[in-house]
Amino acid sequence: MSQKIVIVGGVAGGASAAARARRLSEESEIIVLERGAYVSFANCGLPYHIGGDIPDRNRLLETTPEQLGKQFRIDVRIRNEVLAIQPLDKTVEVRNLETGTVYRESYDALILSPGAEPVRPAVPGIDHPNVLSLRNMDDMDRIIRALEGKTHATVIGGGYIGLEMAEALRHRNIATTLIQRPNQVMNLADPEMAMPLNQELQLNGVDLRLGTEVVAYDPATNGLKLTLNTGETLETGVAILAIGVKPETSLAQAAGLTLGPRGGIQVNDRMQTSDPSIYAVGDAVEVMDWVTRQPALIPLAGPANRQGRIAADVIFGRDSRYRDTQGTAICKVFNLAIGMTGLSEKAAKRAGIPVEKVYVHPFSHASYYPGASQLSLKLVFEPVSGKILGAQAIGADGVDKRIDVLAVARGAGMTVFDLEELELSYAPPYGSAKDPVNMAGFVAANVLRGDVKPCYAADVINLAPQCVLLDVRTAEEAMTGTIPGALHIPLDRLRERVGELSKEKEYLVFCKVGQRGYTACRILSQNGLNCRNLSGGYLTYQRTVGETSVQPALPSTPANQIVAEKTDRTDSITPVKIIDACGLQCPGPILQLKQALDDVKPGEAVSIRATDPGFVCDVPAWCNTTGHQMVHVSPGDKGSYLATVIKRAAETPGPVTSGKRAMTNVVFSDDFDKAMAALIIANGAAAAGYEVTLFFTFWGINMLRKSGPVVAKKNLIEKMFGIMMPKGPDKLTLSKMNMGGLGLAMIKGIMKKKSVMTLPALMAQAQASGVRMIVCTMSMDLMGIKKEELIDGIEEGGVAMYVDHLSRSGAGLFIA
Ligand code: FAD
């Protein structure tokens, strides 16, 4: 059956539809009308040409109008823009942008594939010529020209295109700031899964600003001055907008075609619009979300290509149907890849769908084979049936393979029990006999079968009164950090010490990634104890906490500075030993580093290469505690990280006698904010291995008072003083903006939302971590406060005791 098919848009969906139509019908007339100067170019490859990974620009042009003409006998008209559709007489009005001529073209079937355009919000100054976006070859050329001679650029938006652009700019050695309004990059993923990207971006010199937006663009000498919602300003050469796309629907809307609730063109599963002779495909259309069954906009190349093919099939009488979109995607961010398919946990929450989840952190392939690196996988599934709803993965290697397997499993309606049984290819360089996908299935199935009850970071952060945290990692691992307040019993000693645990309590057990925690739970539950295993272990907890505090793992340093530092330091220091700790998990790399430093002379340097992403934070923390000098930590090849450390000089006699560094702080004030600051510093220092002493004097003592009634012998003035002063940490007020308690309530609300520990919890944690709390007896006497009024565990002392502690401290603060 011969047809005249007109296609609007000649890239992903349009070109695909044209080629398929020709394969199905030799005699039909096929016309592609493309506004731009190119057809079928690789828009997904544009950032990689800007960054230099694809040096030859022509490689992005997958075909030309001439080739399409010769090979497929398709009439491709570039620089021809469709201005309007007349559905009644089945014609389109077209302007030839080269000649300005306007003409009409009739059709039997019309396929719309006009794509989506970058969102440009109405922010003052956004029309400045240096505020650019990336959609096509012309945009790419414009960006490359604008970057010439520029030393700094800013990417606005941390989704796929923003992240790829940030990497491209750093590859061009341009200092780069990435501004992202949400508190995480890659907002489609769950925050704890996207968290490692922060570190990766910062390690590669990207100045990452989360929770930030641009409120004005102004001209500046070297380009632009950006005003941020934080009040800061930022001078930059070029700003690249990558905050999302919106479907191009103007033609469809003007022609009276129905749009869907999300603003895209509405189509049925045959890609037909409300006019059966007009089809629409690609980024311009609304699809049905596979899981939520809600209309969605999911602008991805795979769906656009498949839809183009289906539209052509249907035009030629085939019964092809589009099976909805599950949002399978992957993005490279320097050494890491993040991939996802189906439903995320936060999308499930938004849609009110109850889900269960597990985390696993296995290696991408056998850890003994070179190049293995840790992969983090989150599986989201139905609570009872175990049907897979979605998955996310992040790591340096093997993310694509696992996400693709899970996308297929998800599409086939499989359950977590099916994942246990999947037979996947295995040899040491490629995987493990128990593939990460199988592992995720085992862990999820264990939960559903009731072999172990799971708990999550949120349970640990908001610890219920009957719960006790139990860290079953080794002592070395616990030294690199633990969850505040956790009891520590290494797994190897759990059986002999199980008698120490109470049947009245519930133990929230954790190890590094969840595997030993599971074994520990099996031991505990078979001994009649209540317990749950922290899914994904301490690693997932760290990532969750990192997300809620919005603190970057490393300080955001403007890229030009980082590059300079790295070059200077790395060039001038030659390590005497280079250790390969790739494939080892924490504390393996740290132990190897310690061993190597033990064997070298003071002042000599050791370099270590590791693939554990946690290593990037562990090394500086460990150096701080041990006194070795951290030279640099930087990304290496194949997802590894390289750190160089200089052995500390031989110990010199000094005031620090215990071998540990010490800090003594005076707490003078009973203002809530100052008390918080004092306790946060104390806990932080204790966690970093300091011996911490807090010396409470004058108003600071009020924080140590018990809140309930206390029987103490006092005279009248002492009693009056006692009534007027706050009793305990819950009664303190803000030093500023207290507003009769409203300000305090607001700040406590914010703290709760961001999972900041309360003041009483910080005090308890400090005591549990061995922070010594000394109360000044002279101040107590002056203020009429009696020992019985104070919480347990407080020592009494005077100035001499304070001076003694201070003399042994490397640091002292007066918090007033
Ligand atoms: P497009 O491919 O955008 O084609 C639409 C064409 O229609 C345009 O060339 C436009 O000029 C033309 N047009 C519009 N209106 C008219 C008119 N009135 N008359 C004539 N012509 C018109 N997706 C992935 O899955 N993975 C990736 O890694 C990925 N990376 C990307 C990187 C970048 C920088 C960009 C911009 C996109 C990326 N995408 C990626 C998205 C993917 O490219 C799109 O989903 C896909 O191209 C959509 O296909 P489409 O046919 O709907 O629109």
Side-chain angles (χ1 to χ4, degrees):
M1 174 186 45
S2 172
Q3 299 235 37
K4 181 174 178 186
I5 300 167
V6 172
I7 299 171
V8 183
V11 190
S16 200
R20 177 71 174 169
R22 174 55 72 226
R23 289 192 190 101
L24 295 180
S25 166
E26 259 306 286
E27 64 274 22
S28 289
E29 185 181 359
I30 302 167
I31 302 169
V32 172
L33 301 167
E34 167 55 54
R35 182 173 57 197
Y38 305 93
V39 279
S40 201
F41 63 89
N43 29 19
C44 307
L46 302 177
Y48 301 101
H49 178 61
I50 296 175
D53 291 314
I54 305 172
D56 182 359
R57 182 181 181 279
N58 289 330
R59 296 294 302 273
L60 297 173
L61 302 173
E62 292 181 288
T63 184
T64 61
E66 295 71 35
Q67 278 169 335
L68 284 171
K70 261 195 211 153
Q71 215 175 347
F72 291 97
R73 209 160 37 79
I74 295 171
D75 177 2
V76 179
R77 303 180 197 166
I78 54 170
R79 306 279 295 137
N80 274 250
E81 181 175 20
V82 177
L83 303 176
I85 307 167
Q86 288 86 25
L88 289 180
D89 55 4
K90 288 193 172 185
T91 58
V92 289
E93 188 177 301
V94 190
R95 176 183 285 132
N96 181 323
L97 298 174
E98 294 298 330
T99 61
T101 327
V102 175
Y103 62 96
R104 282 187 171 224
E105 197 63 68
S106 65
Y107 62 83
D108 297 319
L110 176 69
I111 301 177
L112 303 178
S113 187
E117 59 185 324
V119 172
R120 287 181 85 88
V123 174
I126 199 159
D127 293 329
H128 188 285
N130 282 23
V131 183
L132 300 165
S133 47
L134 180 62
R135 180 182 178 186
N136 53 37
M137 299 286 286
D138 290 341
D139 293 337
M140 179 185 78
D141 296 338
R142 216 171 287 129
I143 289 174
I144 292 173
R145 275 197 306 275
L147 288 173
E148 270 163 27
K150 300 288 190 300
T151 54
H152 186 275
T154 302
V155 178
I156 296 135
Y160 299 103
I161 298 178
L163 290 167
E164 287 171 1
M165 276 310 301
E167 177 172 348
L169 291 166
R170 292 299 299 122
H171 283 184
R172 291 180 79 96
N173 214 13
I174 291 176
T176 304
T177 296
L178 176 59
I179 291 177
Q180 164 82 333
R181 183 164 61 180
N183 282 330
Q184 67 168 96
V185 293
M186 188 54 83
N187 208 25
L188 286 171
D190 289 324
E192 74 284 8
M193 294 306 289
M195 183 66 195
L197 297 178
N198 295 2
Q199 177 178 293
E200 190 65 16
L201 288 162
Q202 289 163 342
L203 263 180
N204 285 282
V206 176
D207 166 30
L208 178 62
R209 313 277 184 102
L210 295 176
T212 307
E213 57 186 305
V214 180
V215 294
Y217 298 84
D218 288 299
T221 329
N222 290 321
L224 291 161
K225 186 180 83 173
L226 312 184
T227 306
L228 310 180
N229 60 339
T230 55
E232 290 167 277
T233 56
L234 180 71
E235 295 247 342
T236 193
V238 177
I240 295 162
L241 272 181
I243 55 174
V245 294
K246 61 172 193 239
E248 277 219 15
T249 54
S250 46
L251 276 179
Q253 203 171 4
L257 302 181
T258 307
L259 301 188
R262 305 294 310 276
I265 305 172
Q266 200 171 64
V267 288
N268 60 19
D269 60 358
R270 295 160 172 242
M271 308 317 297
Q272 273 167 317
T273 66
S274 50
D275 178 330
S277 301
I278 305 179
Y279 298 74
V281 302
D283 290 359
V285 305
E286 282 186 6
V287 290
M288 197 59 83
D289 184 282
W290 206 318
V291 181
T292 63
R293 307 308 305 160
Q294 297 295 318
L297 296 168
I298 306 180
L300 289 171
N305 277 282
R306 295 201 307 278
Q307 291 163 2
R309 202 180 139 87
I310 287 169
D313 277 1
V314 174
I315 289 169
F316 290 103
R318 297 204 173 189
D319 189 24
S320 294
R321 311 271 173 144
Y322 184 66
R323 282 206 265 156
D324 306 342
T325 301
Q326 88 183 37
T328 307
I330 188 162
C331 178
K332 175 180 178 301
V333 184
F334 296 97
N335 271 325
L336 293 181
I338 182 163
M340 63 209 73
T341 187
L343 197 66
S344 65
E345 188 188 353
K346 66 180 175 188
K349 263 193 197 138
R350 269 198 309 268
I353 300 173
V355 295
E356 188 58 84
K357 61 179 173 184
V358 292
Y359 301 87
V360 291
H361 304 279
F363 276 91
S364 56
H365 60 249
S367 59
Y368 55 82
Y369 187 86
S373 66
Q374 201 172 36
L375 180 82
S376 297
L377 195 58
K378 176 176 182 177
L379 195 63
V380 177
F381 51 97
E382 278 181 3
V384 179
S385 70
K387 189 173 169 196
I388 301 157
L389 298 176
Q392 296 161 57
I394 184 160
D397 179 41
V399 168
D400 50 349
K401 167 166 148 175
R402 274 62 191 219
I403 283 297
D404 283 348
V405 169
L406 287 165
V408 173
R410 153 83 207 84
M414 289 186 183
T415 66
V416 299
F417 307 108
D418 294 317
L419 296 188
E420 291 184 289
E421 301 300 327
L422 284 188
E423 186 181 313
L424 302 169
S425 61
Y426 161 61
Y430 304 108
S432 300
K434 287 180 199 158
D435 191 86
V437 172
N438 297 129
M439 291 298 295
F442 297 144
V443 173
N446 284 343
V447 169
L448 292 186
R449 289 193 187 106
D451 291 342
V452 65
K453 281 190 274 180
C455 69
Y456 303 100
D459 303 310
V460 162
I461 295 163
N462 306 304
L463 200 64
Q466 78 282 5
C467 291
V468 175
L469 292 166
L470 179 59
D471 182 351
V472 295
R473 296 172 304 157
T474 61
E476 290 81 7
E477 286 172 282
M479 262 182 71
T480 64
T482 187
I483 303 176
L487 189 69
H488 178 234
I489 304 180
L491 178 63
D492 292 352
R493 301 201 50 208
L494 191 59
R495 284 186 183 86
E496 71 197 65
R497 291 182 58 186
V498 78
E500 294 171 27
L501 304 178
S502 160
K503 294 202 167 143
E504 309 303 313
K505 299 281 180 193
E506 185 179 33
Y507 293 92
L508 304 190
V509 181
F510 66 94
C511 63
K512 177 80 181 178
V513 296
Q515 201 173 10
R516 284 169 292 166
Y518 169 50
T519 308
C521 277
R522 295 299 303 158
I523 296 173
L524 295 182
S525 56
Q526 289 179 65
N527 276 278
L529 289 150
N530 275 327
C531 57
R532 283 186 280 158
N533 183 30
L534 178 59
S535 190
Y538 184 59
L539 187 57
T540 301
Y541 163 82
Q542 280 180 304
R543 290 178 181 174
T544 310
V545 173
E547 176 272 321
T548 52
S549 68
V550 197
Q551 287 303 313
L554 292 171
S556 286
T557 311
N560 47 358
Q561 285 175 31
I562 286 193
V563 173
E565 279 171 26
K566 250 167 48 181
T567 321
D568 291 346
R569 290 165 175 188
T570 325
D571 284 356
S572 57
I573 287 161
T574 315
V576 293
K577 258 190 180 185
I578 299 177
I579 317 158
D580 183 4
C582 292
L584 293 182
Q585 282 197 52
C586 173
I590 291 289
L591 292 178
Q592 293 236 341
L593 179 62
K594 182 183 177 303
Q595 217 167 25
L597 285 167
D598 285 348
D599 294 344
V600 303
K601 294 193 197 106
E604 286 183 339
V606 169
S607 283
I608 174 164
R609 189 179 297 281
T611 43
D612 175 9
F615 174 75
V616 175
C617 296
D618 289 346
V619 171
W622 184 78
C623 286
N624 274 341
T625 325
T626 52
H628 298 298
Q629 188 196 340
M630 166 87 204
V631 182
H632 74 95
V633 56
S634 54
D637 55 355
K638 293 189 181 158
S640 67
Y641 303 93
L642 185 74
T644 300
V645 173
I646 297 175
K647 181 169 179 166
R648 66 166 180 247
E651 239 134 34
T652 45
V656 181
T657 52
S658 65
K660 261 186 148 187
R661 289 183 298 167
M663 172 187 262
T664 300
N665 299 341
V666 175
V667 186
F668 175 83
S669 166
D670 63 0
D671 289 328
F672 174 81
D673 37 353
K674 293 171 188 169
M676 282 293 294
L679 266 300
I680 286 169
I681 293 168
N683 276 303
Y690 278 74
E691 281 180 354
V692 183
T693 305
L694 292 180
F695 192 78
F696 291 85
T697 182
F698 280 91
W699 313 114
I701 300 173
N702 287 325
M703 174 186 340
L704 304 177
R705 293 176 71 196
K706 291 176 187 159
S707 55
V710 177
V711 183
K713 226 175 145 190
K714 288 189 172 195
N715 63 33
L716 185 65
I717 295 185
E718 285 172 345
K719 275 186 190 157
M720 281 171 62
F721 252 89
I723 292 167
M724 287 188 295
M725 294 185 305
K727 270 177 103 179
D730 280 327
K731 292 286 183 293
L732 307 192
T733 55
L734 278 177
S735 65
K736 284 184 184 165
M737 300 196 308
N738 193 52
M739 299 180 290
L742 185 65
L744 182 67
M746 282 164 70
I747 198 92
K748 284 188 175 173
I750 296 168
M751 281 166 54
K752 190 167 176 202
K753 207 164 145 202
K754 296 191 178 275
S755 304
V756 177
M757 286 171 85
T758 61
L759 185 54
L762 281 167
M763 289 171 68
Q765 174 59 39
Q767 287 189 308
S769 313
V771 172
R772 289 181 71 180
M773 296 191 179
I774 300 175
V775 64
C776 169
T777 44
M778 188 271 290
S779 303
M780 277 174 74
D781 195 31
L782 287 180
M783 299 164 77
I785 295 177
K786 308 294 172 195
K787 176 83 199 233
E788 309 87 274
E789 288 184 79
L790 303 184
I791 57 171
D792 294 337
I794 308 296
E795 298 170 59
E796 291 180 76
V799 177
M801 194 166 169
Y802 164 63
V803 171
D804 174 46
H805 277 261
L806 187 65
S807 68
R808 290 188 278 121
S809 299
L813 296 174
F814 190 92
I815 297 162

